[in-house]
Amino acid sequence: MQEVTRRKFIATATLATGFALAVQPISAGVITTNAKGLVAGAVKIPVKDGEIPAYRAAPATGENFPIVLVIQEIFGVHEHIQDITRRFAQLGYLAIAPELFIRQGDVSKLSSIDEIRPIVAKVPDAQVLSDLDDTVHWAVKSAKGNANKLAITGFCWGGRITWLYTAHNPKVKAGVAWYGRLVGDATELQPKNPIDIASKLTVPILGLYGGKDTGIPINTVEQMRDRLKSSSSKSEIIVYPDVPHAFFADYRPSYREKEAKEGWKHLLAWFKKYGV
C-alpha cells in the first residue's frame, strides 16, 4: 500500500458522522438541535500544510455574524460538538469546530480512550493555535464572520486550549473554558499550561469546573484563581461543588442537567457582557 503523505491525508480527511465509538452507548436524553434556518455541515479550512475539516453552523440569512470557536473534547468533532455549534447558530452566531487532531489520527473511529490518549498527546500546541488562527481567518473571509466579535469555548481538552488560545490571540473578546486541565508537566509539544499564562491574560475567561472532577484537583483550580488575580483580564472561575468532569456532556452518564443549563446561561451572559 502506497504511503499517504501528510498533506494528502489532511486534504482528504473528513469529519466524523454520529458519535465517537469510544463514547457508546449514548444516553437516552441526549440533546439534539435541528438545523432549521441554518447553514450547517462540514467545511474545509485552509491551513499552513493543506486543509483540515471543520463543522460550521450559522444562520441561513444575514451576515457579519459574531464568531464562536468551539473546541473539541478528546473524542474529536463528533455529533455532540457539532450539536453545540448548531445551538450557537440558532442564537445568531457563526460557530465553527475545527478537527484539531486530524494530522495525528481520526479519534472518532477508535473504540477506547486508551487508544485515543496517545494520539492526542502527539498534538503540538503550536499546531493547534496556528490552525485556530487560520479558522478565524476563514470565518471572516469566507463565512460572513465579524472579526471584531470573536469568542471561544471548549470542553475538557478544549477547555485547556481555550485558556491558551485567548493568551495567544488578544483579538478574542471572551472565552469560556469547561473543565479544562490547568496544571501539568511541560513538554516539547505542550510547553505551557493555563496556570503558566494566567497572570498575563488580558482576555476575560470564565472557567466552569466540577468540585468532584477526579481528573482536575480542586487545589489546582484554586491555584488558577489566585494567579488570575494578578492579571488584567477580569477572568472568573465558577465551581459547581457536586458535579463530576464532563457535566455538560449530555450524551454521557456524567451529564448533570441543572449545572449544565446554569453553565450555558453563564456562558451566554459572559459573551454578551463582553460584546460577542
Side-chain angles (χ1 to χ4, degrees):
M1 181 176 176
Q2 186 177 5
E3 183 180 354
V4 179
T5 66
R6 182 179 177 191
R7 178 181 292 273
K8 185 176 180 182
F9 175 75
I10 296 171
T12 58
T14 57
L15 277 182
T17 55
F19 291 90
L21 286 180
V23 299
Q24 307 292 333
I26 304 305
S27 298
V30 64
I31 296 172
T32 302
T33 305
N34 69 51
K36 185 177 181 181
L38 305 179
V39 175
V43 295
K44 296 283 189 180
I45 306 293
V47 293
K48 299 293 185 293
D49 53 353
E51 293 179 323
I52 60 171
Y55 189 90
R56 175 275 312 267
T61 59
E63 58 185 353
N64 217 31
F65 303 118
I67 302 165
V68 181
L69 299 173
V70 180
I71 313 303
Q72 66 209 61
E73 313 156 294
I74 198 171
F75 305 110
V77 183
H78 66 135
E79 177 55 31
H80 174 62
I81 300 299
Q82 295 174 24
D83 193 89
I84 291 170
T85 69
R86 295 194 295 271
R87 296 176 206 179
F88 279 118
Q90 292 289 5
L91 297 171
Y93 291 96
L94 162 62
I96 312 170
E99 180 52 85
L100 299 167
F101 304 158
I102 203 67
R103 295 172 184 80
Q104 285 71 35
D106 183 355
V107 296
S108 71
K109 302 295 193 295
L110 301 177
S111 59
S112 80
I113 196 166
D114 290 333
E115 293 177 285
I116 293 172
R117 282 198 179 103
I119 290 176
V120 177
K122 296 175 183 176
V123 181
D125 287 344
Q127 169 190 294
V128 172
L129 301 179
S130 176
D131 284 351
L132 290 175
D133 285 343
D134 290 335
T135 300
V136 173
H137 180 77
W138 179 88
V140 174
K141 297 297 182 182
S142 305
K144 303 178 181 179
N146 185 342
N148 296 315
K149 291 190 174 185
L150 173 63
I152 182 172
T153 191
F155 305 84
C156 185
W157 182 88
R160 174 181 175 273
I161 294 300
T162 296
W163 291 104
L164 296 180
Y165 189 69
T166 52
H168 166 79
N169 184 0
K171 293 181 181 179
V172 176
K173 299 297 185 185
V176 177
W178 299 78
Y179 36 84
R181 181 168 57 84
L182 299 167
V183 175
D185 295 330
T187 68
E188 184 178 354
L189 297 181
Q190 293 94 31
K192 291 185 179 180
N193 283 292
I195 195 80
D196 302 315
I197 53 86
S199 62
K200 297 178 182 178
L201 270 179
T202 59
V203 176
I205 300 180
L206 177 64
L208 300 173
Y209 287 81
K212 292 187 177 179
D213 189 331
T214 58
I216 302 176
I218 196 67
N219 69 301
T220 66
V221 178
E222 294 305 329
Q223 288 175 41
M224 188 70 177
R225 269 184 173 153
D226 189 58
R227 292 281 183 94
L228 289 170
K229 291 176 183 176
S230 60
S231 80
S232 62
S233 67
K234 300 181 181 179
S235 297
E236 298 176 15
I237 293 178
I238 295 173
V239 175
Y240 297 103
D242 298 320
V243 303
H245 190 74
F247 64 87
F248 191 78
D250 52 76
Y251 65 101
R252 294 164 67 185
S254 58
Y255 179 59
R256 299 295 184 269
E257 182 179 14
K258 177 178 177 290
E259 289 82 2
K261 288 182 175 180
E262 283 185 17
W264 185 252
K265 287 179 181 178
H266 282 304
L267 176 150
L268 296 176
W270 192 259
F271 284 0
K272 183 177 180 180
K273 179 179 180 179
Y274 291 104
V276 183

